[in-house]
Structure formats: C-alpha cells, structure tokens
Amino acid sequence: MAATPWYFVAALLTILTSSQGILTTLSQSDGGYKYDYATVPFLAEVFKLIISGLFLWREMRTSSSTTSRITTDWKSVRLFVIPSLIYLVHNNVQFATLTYVDTSTYQIMGNLKIVTTGILFRLFLKRKLSKLQWMAIGLLAVGTTTSQVKGCGEASCDSLFTAPIQGYLLGILSAGLSALAGIYTEFLMKRNNDTLYWQNLQLYTFGSLFNVARLIADDFRHGFEKGPWWQRIFDGYSITTWMVVLNLGSTGLLVSWLMKYADNIVKVYSTSMAMLLTMVASIYLFSFKPTLQLFLGIIICIMSLHMYFSPPQTLVDLPVTNEAHPKTLKQVVVEEKTDS
C-alpha cells in the first residue's frame, strides 16, 4: 500500500470523513441514540487493531525482511501511549467545551486546529513552509469558518461572541490538543523504518485499552444501573451503527497511512474538504438550506487547495524577457572555427 499515491488516499479519506457525520445522524432514532455511543470508538479501535494485525501477519509471511523493521524495545513501544492519552484528554475537553458554547461556535473555533497544525508542523517537525503555503493555510481556515457562519439575521449569530471565557479557552485547548495529537503521531510514524502495520498495532492496542477504561469509568459513574458494559455492548445496534463503526475504523487506518507516507497538512486539507462535502450532501439528505456563506467558503477552500499544492511557477506569471542567453564555451569555440 506504500506505493499508493497520497492524493488517492487523501481523496478516499475525504469521502469517508464526509460520510461519517451523515451515517452518525442516520443511526439516530427519535432524536437520540438507542445504543451506547461510547462503544463505537472502542469497536472502531478493535477493528483497526484486527486489520493491522492481519496485514502484519501477511507481510511477515511474504517478506523475509519485515522482521528487521519491527522494533520491540519497550522504550520505543511506550511512546505510543502518549497520543492515546492526548486523544483521551481531547475527547473530554470537547464535551466540556460544549457545556459553555453552542454547536455553531464550537465548530467555528474548531477551525483553529488548521492554523495550530501548521505552527506545530513547523516547530516540532522542523518542516519549512513557503509564504504561499502559509497564505494557503490561512485561506483554508478562513474558508471553512466562512462556510459555517450563518446569516447575521439569525438568532445563533448573536450567541457567537457571548459565551463565557471558559468556553473560548477550552475551545482553543481542544484545537491545540487535536493538532498536537496529529503532529506527535506523524513523528512516531516517521521516526524509524518500522512497518506501518506494526506501528498501528501498538497505537491501536493502547487506544483500545484507554477506551475500555473509559467504558468502565462510565459504569462506575452510573452505578452499574444497566449492567457492565460488555453485557450490553451491542444493545441497540443496527446496520447503520455498524457502518458508523466501519467508517470510523477505516478513516483511522487511512489517517495513519497519511501520517506515515504524507503529512498532517494533507490530512487537514482532507478533513476540511470533507466538512464542506458533508454540508453539500446534507442539502439532499436532510433538506439543509445552503447559504451564500457556504458557497463562498467552498470557493475559498478550493483556492487554498490549489495554492498550497501547485508548483509556485504555475501560480505566478513571470514576464517573458527577450534577453539573449549567455553563450557557453562550447558554442563560442564552434562559432570561431566556423568563422575561420
């Protein structure tokens, strides 16, 4: 899979990410969930763990050199605990943020992770970006924010800047944690030549364990009134719910591939374009009313995409000069022989 072009994986990630919110909405019944939504991330982690294990087993059987690309040193393995902890804290910060701000404000503040990803990308991974690329990242943040802003005549517009200061601080923290988790995961994926499937196996093992800890904590918090989580893990599940699990798991596998063979900026563009694609799909599926801001945001994001990934010479039309090119020594010698 390493030979797969990154733009093909990014496009597939965009499609899966855009369908994630749609499938989650379709899995609801009477405005709520009949299943315990905390079990979905756990099952998605288990799915990713199984798939990574199968691919690793297949690779070890077909390639004799794979064993040299598996690091079993505990000092290396324990580093994969860190992104799992960051994601765990991030999920709790998300819920805390939503207690202070409304959904629209939260989505708009979430676009800060685009800029913070670029900053951490430069600081921690030492990856230099050109001025055009920095401008493209800024345009992407502006475009996604513009697409989410509703008309100023609506009531939700009045609540955009009236949330408590705690809500804005938590929103900034959430965006920073999301970017940090992505940057650190990319660092782990590229720090050695270990096979991707072995790295995924470590990452998703710790992810599964932390999700189990979260389910057990929920049981204790509610006094086991519905019984232990493993006895009701599939209660209320439907075909749509299983599609949510498979979608979430497949998205995670594609993101890990991009972290290994591409970078965080590609992932940011994929998820941002997926958000816009979700809004467009919602027009047909959920009678979502498109706004002028949505179309304007899509145009800005497409401009940003073109600006970031296109070669600089295609973005700037340099004037054509008629100055003669200096002759090479070989050309001078040939002309002198001809004249003589």
Side-chain angles (χ1 to χ4, degrees), residues 6 118 121 127-140 263-266 269 301-312 315:
W6 66 262
F121 189 74
R127 302 282 295 276
K128 292 185 178 180
L129 299 175
S130 66
K131 293 180 179 179
L132 276 176
Q133 289 177 322
W134 278 115
M135 291 174 61
I137 291 175
L139 271 181
L140 181 65
D263 55 48
N264 265 278
I265 303 298
V266 175
Y269 270 94
C301 288
I302 292 175
M303 292 171 58
S304 169
L305 184 68
H306 178 65
M307 183 184 295
Y308 187 90
F309 292 103
S310 295
L315 299 174

Side-chain angles (χ1 to χ4, degrees), residues 176-198:
L177 288 173
S178 177
L180 180 62
I183 293 295
Y184 190 84
T185 302
E186 182 179 345
F187 164 75
L188 288 180
M189 291 295 181
K190 293 178 178 176
R191 66 186 295 267
N192 55 37
N193 290 325
D194 283 356
T195 176
L196 171 65
Y197 308 120
W198 168 239

Side-chain angles (χ1 to χ4, degrees), residues 7 9 11 86 158 183 195 224 294 296 303 307 333:
Y7 47 81
V9 178
I86 295 175
D158 298 332
I183 293 295
T195 176
F224 291 88
L294 172 60
L296 182 60
M303 292 171 58
M307 183 184 295
V333 172

Side-chain angles (χ1 to χ4, degrees), residues 21-37 235-241 244 286:
I22 295 172
L23 288 173
T24 303
T25 303
L26 292 175
S27 69
Q28 296 178 356
S29 179
D30 299 327
Y33 301 100
K34 288 187 176 181
Y35 58 92
D36 184 359
Y37 57 83
D235 290 353
Y237 267 60
S238 62
I239 296 178
T240 309
T241 312
V244 173
F286 307 114

